[in-house]
Amino acid sequence: MTALTITHIHYLALLPVLTFFGASLLLMLMSALVKTKVTINWATTVSVAASLSIFVYACFQWSYVARHGATTTVAHAIVLDGFSIVGNVVIAASVMMSALVAHDWAKRERIAGADFHILALASSAGALLMVEANDLIVIFLALEILSIGLYVLAGFDRHRDASAEAALKYFLLGGFASAIFIYGAALIYGATGSTNLSSISYFLATNVVLRPGLLYAGGALLLIGFAFKIAAVPFHLWSPDVYQGSPTPVTGVMASIVKVGAFAALLRVLISALGTQLDTWRPILFVLIILTCLVGASVALVQR
C-alpha cells in the first residue's frame, strides 16, 4: 500500500495571501449573515487592518529569510524571498491607500455596504499570490483571482454607462490575455517538461534545446499575456477607456496593485525560469520598454 504523502506548508509565506482572503471572506459573511448592513467605516477598518498586518508579517518574513535564506513551500510552487516580501509590502500599502480613497468616494457617492472592499481584497490576494508564485500554473490562477474581481469593480458605478463599457472591454480583453498566457504556459511545459520556474531553469541550464521554436513561442505568448496586464505598447489600447470609465478608486487599484503583481510575476518568470535565455528575450523587452515610454508619453499629450 502506498503511503499518503502530505505536502509541507510553510504558513509564514502564505500569511499575507490568507489574511487578504480571510478579510474578504469576513466582510462577505458579515454582509450576508448580519441583519444590519455592514457600514463603509467597518469595511475600511477591516481593509486597513489587513494591510497593516502584512507589514507586521513582513518583519517576521524578512528576519526568517535573513537567517535561513530563501525558501519554497507547497511543492516548490510558492517562494519566500526578499523580492516577494518587498512586493507584498508595496501591494499592502497600495490596498490601504485605495481603501482610504474609496472610503471618501463611497460616502460622496452615497454607496453603502462592503462590496468594493470585498472585491478589492480578493483581487489583491491574487496580486500577492502572483508575487510569491514559483510555478506557471500558480501564476495563472493568481492572475484569474486578480482579474475576476476587477472585472466587476470596473463596472461598479451603475449610474454611468462608461463604467459598464469599461467593465465589458476589460472582461473581453482580459479573457483573451488569460487564454494567451495559459497557452504559452502549455508550450513552455511541452518544451521543458515542467511548469515550475526552478525546474524550467534547471532544465535549460543542463540541456541544449536543439529545436527551441516551442520554447520561444511559449515565452512570446507569456510575454504578451503579461504585456496586456501591465498595459505595455502595443497591448495598451484597452487602458484609456477602462481607466476613464472605472470609478476613481478602482482605477487606483488597477494602476498600482495590478501593475505590481504583474511586473513581479513577469520578472520572476524572465529571471528565475528563462534566465539562461537572457540574450533572446532582453532585446525584445528593451523594445517594449522604449515603445511604451515613447508612445505612452506622446499619446498622453493629446489624449481626451
Side-chain angles (χ1 to χ4, degrees), residues 149-169:
L150 289 174
Y151 298 152
V152 181
L153 286 175
F156 197 73
D157 193 346
R158 291 170 291 181
H159 303 292
R160 295 177 60 226
D161 293 337
S163 185
E165 179 186 352
L168 180 61
K169 289 182 177 179

Side-chain angles (χ1 to χ4, degrees), residues 2-61:
T2 305
L4 178 64
T5 303
I6 299 177
T7 302
H8 172 71
I9 299 177
H10 189 196
Y11 284 100
L12 181 61
L14 294 174
L15 269 179
V17 179
L18 295 177
T19 298
F20 271 5
F21 270 131
S24 178
L25 182 61
L26 173 64
L27 290 175
M28 184 173 63
L29 290 177
M30 290 183 63
S31 300
L33 301 178
V34 177
K35 292 182 179 180
T36 58
K37 198 173 187 65
V38 178
T39 64
I40 189 66
N41 293 333
W42 177 248
T44 302
T45 300
V46 172
S47 299
V48 172
S51 302
L52 291 175
S53 65
I54 291 182
F55 297 152
V56 177
Y57 300 155
C59 297
F60 290 101
Q61 290 176 334

Side-chain angles (χ1 to χ4, degrees), residues 20-110:
F20 271 5
F21 270 131
S24 178
L25 182 61
L26 173 64
L27 290 175
M28 184 173 63
L29 290 177
M30 290 183 63
S31 300
L33 301 178
V34 177
K35 292 182 179 180
T36 58
K37 198 173 187 65
V38 178
T39 64
I40 189 66
N41 293 333
W42 177 248
T44 302
T45 300
V46 172
S47 299
V48 172
S51 302
L52 291 175
S53 65
I54 291 182
F55 297 152
V56 177
Y57 300 155
C59 297
F60 290 101
Q61 290 176 334
W62 194 271
S63 176
Y64 180 88
V65 171
R67 286 185 283 112
H68 303 283
T71 183
T72 59
T73 185
V74 193
H76 307 290
I78 302 296
V79 61
L80 175 62
D81 56 6
F83 182 75
S84 63
I85 296 172
V86 173
N88 289 342
V89 170
V90 174
I91 291 175
S94 301
V95 171
M96 183 168 62
M97 289 186 287
S98 298
L100 294 175
V101 172
H103 181 83
D104 293 335
W105 171 80
K107 285 191 172 182
R108 185 172 63 251
E109 298 293 330
R110 297 180 180 178

Side-chain angles (χ1 to χ4, degrees), residues 160-194:
R160 295 177 60 226
D161 293 337
S163 185
E165 179 186 352
L168 180 61
K169 289 182 177 179
Y170 193 36
F171 171 71
L172 291 176
L173 291 176
F176 284 128
S178 298
I180 291 171
F181 180 89
I182 196 61
Y183 190 27
L187 294 182
I188 292 290
Y189 176 78
T192 63
S194 177

Side-chain angles (χ1 to χ4, degrees), residues 99-263:
L100 294 175
V101 172
H103 181 83
D104 293 335
W105 171 80
K107 285 191 172 182
R108 185 172 63 251
E109 298 293 330
R110 297 180 180 178
I111 297 176
D115 298 345
F116 174 88
H117 296 81
I118 292 171
L119 293 169
L121 286 169
S123 294
S124 301
L128 292 175
L129 193 58
M130 287 186 73
V131 170
E132 298 181 350
N134 193 44
D135 192 283
L136 293 177
I137 301 301
V138 176
I139 293 176
F140 173 73
L141 293 175
L143 184 64
E144 291 303 293
I145 295 171
L146 168 67
S147 301
I148 291 174
L150 289 174
Y151 298 152
V152 181
L153 286 175
F156 197 73
D157 193 346
R158 291 170 291 181
H159 303 292
R160 295 177 60 226
D161 293 337
S163 185
E165 179 186 352
L168 180 61
K169 289 182 177 179
Y170 193 36
F171 171 71
L172 291 176
L173 291 176
F176 284 128
S178 298
I180 291 171
F181 180 89
I182 196 61
Y183 190 27
L187 294 182
I188 292 290
Y189 176 78
T192 63
S194 177
T195 58
N196 185 271
L197 302 186
S198 301
S199 300
I200 293 172
S201 177
Y202 178 79
F203 177 87
L204 295 177
T206 56
N207 295 273
V208 178
V209 182
L210 298 179
R211 296 180 180 178
L214 195 64
L215 177 66
Y216 291 163
L221 292 178
L222 289 181
L223 185 58
I224 291 173
F226 281 124
F228 268 107
K229 289 302 177 184
I230 64 177
V233 174
F235 310 101
H236 69 294
L237 297 178
W238 61 271
S239 55
D241 289 339
V242 174
Y243 281 14
Q244 178 183 348
S246 301
T248 301
V250 179
T251 303
V253 171
M254 292 180 182
S256 57
I257 298 168
V258 175
K259 296 301 181 291
V260 173
F263 267 115

